[in-house]
Structure formats: structure tokens, C-alpha cells
Amino acid sequence: MTAGSGDAVEQVHAPRDDDVHALYEHAPCGYLSTTADGTIIKVNQTLLDWTGHQRADLVGGRRFVELLTAGGRIFHETHYSPMLRMQRTAREIALDIVRPDGSRLPVLVNSVVDRSADGEEVIRSAIFDATERRAYERELVREKERAERSERRATVLAATLQRTLIPPAPPTIPGLDIAAAYRPAGRGDEIGGDFYDVFQVAPDDWAVVLGDVQGKGVAAAVVTALLRYSTRAAAVEHRLPSDVLRILNTVLLRDDTERLCTAVVVRLRSVGSRWTMTLACAGHPLPLLGRAREPAVAVGRPGPLLGFFEEVEFADVEITVRSGDALVLYTDGVSEARRGDAWFGEQRISDALATYGSSATALADGLLHEVLDFEQQHPRDDIGLVAIRVP
Amino acid sequence: MTVSGNPDGQPMLFAHGFGCDQNMWRYVAPAFADRYRVVLFDHVGAGGSDPSAYDAERYASLDGYASDVLDICAALDLHDVVFVGHSVSAMIGALAAVRAPDRFDSLVMVGPSPRYIDDAGYVGGFSRADIDELLESLGSNYLGWSTAMAPVIMGNADRPELGAELTASFCRADPAIARRFAEVTFLSDNRTDLAKVSTRSLVLQCSNDVIAPIVVGEYVRDSLTSSEYVLLEATGHCPNLSAPAATIAAIAAFVAHDLTV
């Protein structure tokens, strides 16, 4: 219907809400006015109902600060009051009003400083019942504290478990210089999947294993632990790294895990002053051998990864090493470290062999730092390294 | 840190208390600018200070804050300092004056309390439970801080209220630092340090202060070896805001007396 149609517009009846007294007294929030020094001069019925105070007890003699808990009084004096003095307004101040029976009313207070009709300064406050909001906030704080406690526990647990899987330092092997470096991915608050172990099998006969279990966390750690002690047991029975890898493959297939693993096993034996290294790889990056005045070369033959195929064949490669030779074992967290589109790659590892050739520790630490620098200190994958050098 | 006033004048160093920042002196400090070199600063974690400078170990007691005062004196090469400390900073000044009495000419303690919690034979005004409640209430006001927006300034020309750029930070502090400062402040006990203060001191007591009641001000006066005491007709804990004229007059009389002696 349009106005031009000639029909009279029907009168809409709306209820009026212009009783200012009722608006003030029965507003859905408390109103409170004080003098500049906080003495209460006016209060509405809503606030009296909420607090259980009598009007006569509040108006004329008492100060707003006196209605608060002791903690609230301090906050009033150190925050609320200075803010009002300096800014003439304060908002969302959380306080507790004490009722005559001692119970508390959590409130949020908004205040402004204004002048009354006779020119005196008055502080006008709107007071909101914050009982449920405060309960919710307390619950949030409790949850936050619980989460922080739980995170601290998990971090300590991860670090403890990590230490049992990654020896803090490899043992000393007489006549051989050996060092390792390890850094879990990300912030280091989760157990990584990389592991290594260096142990003696017989006099002048040592074994080294570096592996990478798929995934991370507690489930990966269980598999890591299984592989670590299985390697030790198998190395006692079997001289050849290929046999040790075959047993690890069987162990993984029989175990109730879907996790795959890559590993490199090296057997170190000395005859007289000469060391031989026999190594085999299972789905693992081939170790690099650095020799004085020669470019670094990859040693070993690629083999299948562990925990997938029933029938596996691994090839052993034996090398005789001389004084000054260095062999570096590394996980794909090193070679596949990324910066943008760039990979860290084998060449940088070869370069590190030349740069840090002076000792196994220099090589392991230097290479770790280069990888971390490359990834701007945020490794996306675990980094595991073992450096073996003939002095 | 803000340095103003007479560059050749005697230094007057103002330190704010728990809760706000150096703007607490906005109504008082300018009155001394013609004769004194006025130095204002924010305690670590307050106002415009750098929160990363907070070191939990250094600030585990008021001594760390006293060290800051002495560091400021050393950095600006201040001597014969008139130190004006409000609330907990009165005690911070006392600790600094005990450690380096030669630096200080006099101490002005505004609303001081050497211990806020009642003890055998001592009334501080609060119980341990009260202080625990305060620490919890700071947690409740955390949300107010974190979502803090600069409040609208109500126009009023007769006092130099804060501009919009300052209201964003005034009385808003890093919640974790504020909570630890509250713990250090309200759980401290410096009663035995007062007797070690040899510097001439003024105790400015408000007539109606719920944080530092009159008995506490009198205790401080009686414990100091050389003190004057002025009871201000003022309500609340911040006479520097609620009664700036009386505060200025009391400080001026105290330091003027100092000049004639």
C-alpha cells in the first residue's frame, strides 16, 4: 500500500518507557554515585537488591571502597582511583562487593567523573553482576594452569625418554675418534624418531647404528627402544651388518607396529693399527667417506627399508680406513633439510667433511650448526649424525 | 625515564608505587621544575618500560628495585638527591638510601608502609588471606588488560589529564610482572630497615588511607632516626592525585627547611 492510495495510515500502538525514576531504580544494572572522595550519595534499588545492603546504611556515610574485599580495596586504590583521577573514566574493573552476610558479589564496574547540577564533582558508576563471567574466568584460569602443568610434565617425560634413546655422548673407542649430534624437530618438546647407538661387541670390535623410525612421539619411541636393544642382541650373534638388518626387519614385521624404519649399521674392527669398517644400509642415506685431498664419496649399497618386505637382501661393503679418513653417518633430516625450494643436499655434507676434518667432534658439531643455520634454527625433521674419524 | 626542570638544580627523583606509572606525579612534579632537576621513571613492567628488561631473579625482592634507583642515580650522575617515593617506592627509596647514603639529601615518603600484613604487636592493615585475595583479583582483571582499549577521554579543561596516547598504558601492566610486583610489594617486611636510614626523611600520611593507615605512618615516623611527619587532610592512598596542592606544599616546606639548616 502506498501513501498515494488515499488510505489512512493505521496508528501503531507502542508502549512508552519514559518513567525516568523506574529506569534508574530498576535498571538491569546497579547505579552508584559518589562524591570525588568516594562517599556514596546515591544508589539504585537494583544494587540494593543484589548486595542486600539497606539504602540508609550506604548513602551519606560510607565510601564505595569500604564495600569491597581487602584485595579489591587495594586494587581500587592502586588502579581504579588513579585511573579515574587521571582519565576521568574507568572501564570493566573487576571487583567483589561484600554483602552484609559476608558473601561476595563479583561485579564489573564502569565509572565516569562528571559534575552535578551544583557544579560539584561526582563519580557515576554502572555496576554489572559478573558472577557467571567470573566463575567462567576462574575455570579458564584453572584450565590454563592444568594445561601448563600437563605440558611441563610431557616435556620432562619426552626429554627423559629421549635421553635413554640417544646417549648424551658416544663411548670412547681406543684408537678411533667418534662423535655424534642430535636435534629433534621443531621446538624439541616431542620425542623424535631418530636414534643412534655405539657399543662394544668384543675387544677391538665395535658396532654403530644410526636409524630413523617413521613418525614421532611415544609410539615411535617404543619402536626405537625395540630396535635399539634388538640391534645390540643381533650384533653379538652376527658379525655382518646385513645379517643385523635382516633380523631388525623380522623384529619389525613381527611386532604389532605399522611403522617403517631406515637404518645404517657399521661394524668397526681393528687389527693391529689398521681399522676396517663394514657397513650395510636399509633405506637409509649412504654414509660419506672423506679422505685427504680426495672428494668425498658415498659408501655402501642402497637396501630396502625395514618393516615392509618379508624377503629382504642387504649388501655389506667393507672398507679399510687410513689415518685422516672420516666417515659421516646422517639421517635424511640432514640431507633433506629445506630452505625455501633449496635442499641441504649431499654436496654440503661433503664440503663439511673437508671443512671440519680436524676431529669427529668438530665435524658433528659443525655439520649440525650448518644444517640448523640452513633451516634458520627451525628443523622440520629430526637431525641425527655420527662422525667417525681415524686420528 | 623523563628528565626535565632546571638542569643546574638539585635533583628531585620521583618514583611511582604499585599499580600505575610516572604519570602519577603529573600534578606534583611540575611545581618543582623551576628549582629542581626533575627525574621521573617507570618501574620495570609499568608504563612505558620495556617488559623484556624484567628479570624474575633481580626483582624477586624490593632490593632489585632499589638497585634500579641507584643505577639511575649513577647513570645521570645525581648527587644530593631528593627522593620522592609513593607507596612501595617509599620503601624502595629507603633501601637505596641505606645502601648509598651519600647519594641522597633527603627522602619524601608518600603513604609508606614497611609491612602490609599484621604481625604480633604490629598493625599493617591486612591479613595474609587479604593479600592472597588481591593476587587473585589481579588475575580477574587480567582480561581487562589483555583486551585493553584506550578509553574515551572526557573533556575537562581545568586539570592536565592524560592525553589519549598515555591512557593506553596508564595503570595497565604486563599481568605476570604486575602480579609478581604485587607479591613482592605486599609480602615484604622492611621494618628493620627503617632504623638503618640515616637520611633526613618526611613521612606524608593521608588522613583516610585504606592501604597505609595512620598507625602505619606513625610507626614509620617513630622508626626513622631523622623524620618529619605531616598528616594530610586527604582521602585515599594517592594524595599526589587527590590533594596535589597540599602534597606540593608539604614537600616544599620540607625541602625549604633543608636549605636553611
Side-chain angles (χ1 to χ4, degrees), chain A residues 63 77 86 94 104 137-138, chain B residues 133 136 141 143 235 237:
Chain A
R63 293 168 58 217
E77 292 297 303
M86 300 295 286
R104 276 124 199 242
E137 283 172 9
R138 290 216 174 92
Chain B
E133 200 169 56
E136 194 179 335
N141 274 297
L143 292 181
T235 296
H237 185 56

Side-chain angles (χ1 to χ4, degrees), chain B residues 95-173:
Chain B
L95 291 171
V98 169
R99 276 162 57 185
D102 296 344
R103 281 274 182 205
F104 297 94
D105 169 79
S106 48
L107 296 177
V108 177
M109 302 184 173
V110 184
S113 173
R115 180 183 163 106
Y116 294 90
I117 298 176
D118 298 337
D119 194 15
Y122 172 83
V123 176
F126 296 94
S127 69
R128 174 67 205 234
D130 291 340
I131 299 306
D132 289 341
E133 200 169 56
L134 164 74
L135 298 176
E136 194 179 335
S137 80
L138 290 178
S140 298
N141 274 297
Y142 173 91
L143 292 181
W145 271 315
S146 64
T147 60
M149 293 174 294
V152 179
I153 313 297
M154 309 297 287
N156 188 312
D158 57 19
R159 270 188 182 169
E161 270 92 16
L162 293 183
E165 76 287 358
L166 291 173
T167 57
S169 64
F170 186 61
C171 292
R172 296 165 200 272

Side-chain angles (χ1 to χ4, degrees), chain A residues 154-234:
Chain A
T155 307
V156 169
L157 185 66
T160 309
L161 193 48
Q162 192 87 72
R163 275 197 299 277
T164 68
L165 299 175
I166 304 288
T172 308
I173 302 179
L176 212 54
D177 182 14
I178 189 160
Y182 174 77
R183 172 67 70 94
R187 293 184 298 142
D189 51 358
E190 215 175 359
I191 309 160
D194 285 8
F195 68 97
Y196 75 86
D197 198 8
V198 178
F199 55 95
Q200 186 167 27
V201 184
D204 301 322
D205 187 357
W206 294 73
V208 178
V209 60
L210 175 67
D212 180 358
V213 173
Q214 185 188 27
K216 51 176 86 279
V218 173
V222 170
V223 176
T224 304
L226 171 71
L227 289 172
R228 219 166 149 251
Y229 67 71
S230 298
T231 307
R232 286 196 171 220

